[in-house]
Amino acid sequence: MNDNTLKLFAGNAHPALAQEVAEHLKMNLGISTVKRFRDGEIAVNIDESVRGADVYIVQPTCPPVNDNLMELLIMMDAMRRASAQRITAVIPYYGYARQERKSKARDPISAKLTANLIAAAGAYRVICMDLHAAAIQGFFDIPVDHLSAMPILANYYKKKQFDGDIIVVSPDIGGVGRARNLADRLHCDIAIVDKRRPAPGEAEIMNLIGDVKGKVAIMADDIIDSGGTITLGAEALMNMGAKEVHVCCTHALFSGPAVERLTNSCIKEVVVTNTIPQRNDAVITNDKFKVLSVGSLLGEAIRSINNNLSVSRLFE
């Protein structure tokens, strides 16, 4: 790796993950200061030279989404004006990804607007993980390396001793590709929950495509937000004869009553990654939750890009 030109910086969104990436790459984080003026405006200082450097900024745009996004944009602008050769935005969780299309008249496509802002601020490349819709890659006019947490989740489940056959379940039609990816790695069948959503944030289970009777069901999703959909799906699977239900996802937003819902649900275990920082003690200390790190995956992606090597090997 060309250590003379690679520099890694962290925003305030998830410094712990950035430190994991730095440790994997056996390097120190770049020195920068991100603070606020009294009126709330973000102030950025880059406290070391980045002239001619290949700069990577680790900053998931998780809640508070607008603050973290604006911080990322200002950091990239500062790097560009300091003559960085290339700026890569490492965005493990891409905010506004669920607003990727017009579902009704006069809706914005906020995922595209966000992509435009990131490119305009100076990003040469973007690294992200498990976008809510894979088509968001096409919203960018710059290279996008779209990583998946499925290999990490699959490796975790391969080491577990399940009492019975397993089946991977997609909580909706849109997640079939994700479920198939995990099922292929675990060498098992898939099932699909067919639901309709009577109102935003609400889900009603309608039907199940597949047979879960007597099996250990693993529900795989990209995001768990309020936890309503996933807990309702788990109840439906148990009512349809599943032996037990496990849940995994890449992005654990866990907003509102999510942690309480999941804790009190019939779900056996909730496995998530650390693309979003978890500050809730119930997640950190409760045996029902397991948080897996994506730091080494992001580190290997950065190493490959910095050395102009293929990133596709990371999907294996």
Side-chain angles (χ1 to χ4, degrees):
M1 186 165 56
N2 191 348
D3 295 317
N4 292 326
T5 61
L6 173 61
K7 288 183 180 288
L8 182 70
F9 288 84
N12 285 331
H14 202 345
L17 177 57
Q19 184 59 46
E20 287 185 28
V21 175
E23 290 174 359
H24 181 83
L25 294 172
K26 295 180 173 57
M27 61 183 297
N28 295 321
L29 285 173
I31 304 171
S32 63
T33 305
V34 183
K35 53 187 179 181
R36 293 182 179 277
F37 294 110
R38 291 184 179 179
D39 62 356
E41 291 181 0
I42 296 168
V44 170
N45 289 314
I46 309 301
D47 299 318
E48 63 179 80
S49 174
V50 295
R51 185 177 297 275
D54 195 1
V55 172
Y56 294 78
I57 304 173
V58 180
Q59 178 80 338
T61 51
C62 51
V65 180
N66 296 335
D67 290 351
N68 289 330
L69 174 59
M70 196 65 197
E71 186 177 300
L72 173 63
L73 299 177
I74 294 175
M75 286 187 74
M76 289 193 295
D77 183 72
M79 300 293 183
R80 181 181 61 172
R81 295 177 187 277
S83 300
Q85 183 177 8
R86 296 195 307 182
I87 303 167
T88 299
V90 183
I91 312 174
Y93 173 71
Y94 184 83
Y96 287 106
R98 288 176 286 180
Q99 299 183 43
E100 89 288 2
R101 58 189 171 87
K102 291 184 67 173
S103 57
K104 62 181 185 297
R106 295 174 293 280
D107 272 357
I109 304 181
S110 304
K112 169 59 175 170
L113 173 61
T114 302
N116 290 345
L117 290 170
I118 291 169
Y124 170 84
R125 178 184 295 269
V126 169
I127 300 174
C128 55
M129 292 195 65
D130 285 328
L131 290 167
H132 185 64
I136 293 175
Q137 297 174 80
F139 291 177
F140 288 88
D141 294 324
I142 56 178
V144 175
D145 288 293
H146 187 201
L147 306 180
S148 173
M150 284 303 122
I152 295 173
L153 295 169
N155 287 338
Y156 174 79
Y157 284 123
K158 285 177 182 177
K159 297 174 183 176
K160 285 185 71 71
Q161 298 295 323
F162 290 108
D163 184 17
D165 294 335
I166 63 174
I167 185 168
V168 175
V169 181
S170 173
D172 52 38
I173 299 296
V176 171
R178 190 179 305 109
R180 172 60 65 189
N181 187 337
L182 182 59
D184 287 346
R185 296 175 186 277
L186 298 178
H187 307 292
C188 66
D189 294 330
I190 72 166
I192 305 167
V193 174
D194 176 33
K195 70 176 187 295
R196 67 179 175 88
R197 197 180 294 271
E202 298 180 15
E204 180 179 345
I205 303 302
M206 298 295 292
N207 202 357
L208 178 70
I209 304 169
D211 183 14
V212 299
K213 190 172 183 179
K215 297 180 181 179
V216 176
I218 301 175
M219 294 186 72
D221 211 347
D222 61 327
I223 299 171
I224 297 179
D225 191 352
S226 65
T229 298
I230 211 77
T231 54
L232 191 59
E235 291 174 9
L237 293 176
M238 293 298 290
N239 291 335
M240 293 173 184
K243 192 170 188 178
E244 58 187 39
V245 178
H246 296 247
V247 165
C248 67
C249 80
T250 304
H251 311 298
L253 284 172
F254 289 167
S255 60
V259 174
E260 182 180 358
R261 279 178 175 169
L262 293 166
T263 300
N264 298 328
S265 72
C266 62
I267 297 169
K268 184 81 171 178
E269 185 181 44
V270 181
V271 182
V272 302
T273 76
N274 63 340
T275 58
I276 296 171
Q278 295 301 322
R279 300 183 176 91
N280 191 317
D281 289 339
V283 176
I284 299 170
T285 61
N286 193 334
D287 290 340
K288 193 168 193 172
F289 295 88
K290 177 69 175 180
V291 181
L292 306 179
S293 177
V294 298
S296 60
L297 177 62
L298 293 171
E300 282 303 308
I302 291 171
R303 190 196 307 276
S304 297
I305 293 167
N306 184 250
N307 286 328
N308 296 316
L309 300 175
S310 173
V311 178
S312 61
R313 64 187 177 86
L314 303 178
F315 305 147
E316 300 173 0

